[in-house]
Amino acid sequence: MPVIAPWSAGPATRPPRGTAQGADADDAMTAGTTVDHLTETYRVHYRSLLGLAALLLDDNASCEDVVQEAFIRVHSARKRVREPEKTLAYLRQTVVNLSRSALRRRIVGLKLLSKPMPDMASAEEGAYELLERDELIRAMRNLQRRQREVLVLRYFADMTEAQVAEVLGLSLGSVKAYGSRGIAALRVAMEAVS
């Protein structure tokens, strides 16, 4: 591997970009997730990421915004994602983090809201209300935030407990505890409905 002199040594000591050594350096700089891989990931996993956001948020427009923003951020940082197989995990984590941020912004907005908004539902809200009729989704929304996140990632996103722990920044034991408490709470809620 050639040794590249520091910038202060002057341009004569650095290989020019047109040479083979310069091309190797450029290839190393562009390593990471390619635009083609990201495009394929979008095509294959967009709907599942949208579903993940839908279980964490409460309206389609916000879900679509969150998923689109996640892809934009991963596209911007694609050179830092050195292993293309980790692109989906990075996207899932970004969707979870953006969903949290969206919920925090709503809470602040509700606190600052001086008068109630008109009681008119949009077409998107009407379509999403059809999904809300499912009792399981209602029960999921009544769970604690961490329980809901663990269950959504574990069972909807089909992640292992270790992957969930990594995405949420929790220990494996915490993931297991949140998961078992969440399932127990869902069981109670579903029995109350039937």
Side-chain angles (χ1 to χ4, degrees):
M1 179 170 175
V3 176
I4 299 176
W7 286 93
S8 59
T13 59
R14 291 179 45 205
R17 288 191 158 227
T19 67
Q21 288 177 341
D24 290 344
D26 287 343
D27 289 343
M29 292 298 289
T30 60
T33 301
T34 64
V35 174
D36 289 339
H37 176 72
L38 195 56
T39 302
E40 182 63 17
T41 303
Y42 180 89
R43 191 184 64 74
V44 173
H45 295 287
Y46 175 79
R47 287 182 189 250
S48 68
L49 290 168
L50 192 61
L52 173 63
L55 290 169
L56 298 171
L57 296 171
D58 61 356
D59 69 280
N60 280 343
S62 294
C63 296
E64 291 171 355
D65 289 345
V66 160
V67 174
Q68 291 295 330
E69 180 65 23
F71 274 99
I72 289 168
R73 289 186 182 192
V74 171
H75 181 271
S76 298
R78 69 187 181 278
K79 291 180 183 176
R80 288 182 290 182
V81 183
R82 299 272 179 212
E83 301 171 43
E85 63 274 2
K86 291 189 178 180
T87 303
L88 182 59
Y90 188 71
L91 280 164
R92 285 179 178 149
Q93 183 172 357
T94 305
V95 167
V96 170
N97 291 340
L98 289 171
S99 296
R100 285 180 184 163
S101 296
L103 291 173
R104 277 194 291 269
R105 281 192 304 275
R106 285 186 195 163
I107 290 169
V108 170
L110 289 174
K111 287 179 182 177
L112 298 176
L113 193 62
S114 61
K115 56 183 178 182
M117 297 294 290
D119 203 16
M120 296 184 338
S122 68
E124 292 85 6
E125 290 170 338
Y128 194 73
E129 285 175 4
L130 294 175
L131 294 175
E132 288 182 333
R133 292 183 186 168
D134 184 0
E135 295 301 327
L136 181 59
I137 293 176
R138 287 186 190 164
M140 288 286 291
R141 288 196 179 129
N142 291 326
L143 293 177
Q144 293 176 0
R145 178 179 57 91
R146 284 288 192 196
Q147 291 174 353
R148 182 174 59 244
E149 289 173 354
V150 166
L151 293 179
V152 166
L153 292 174
R154 179 74 176 99
Y155 297 105
F156 178 78
D158 200 28
M159 296 172 74
T160 66
E161 289 174 335
Q163 290 170 325
V164 173
E166 184 180 337
V167 167
L168 295 179
L170 299 171
S171 69
L172 189 58
S174 295
V175 169
K176 290 179 180 181
Y178 283 123
S180 66
R181 288 184 197 132
I183 289 173
L186 279 178
R187 190 173 290 129
V188 168
M190 296 306 288
E191 287 173 0
V193 170
S194 27

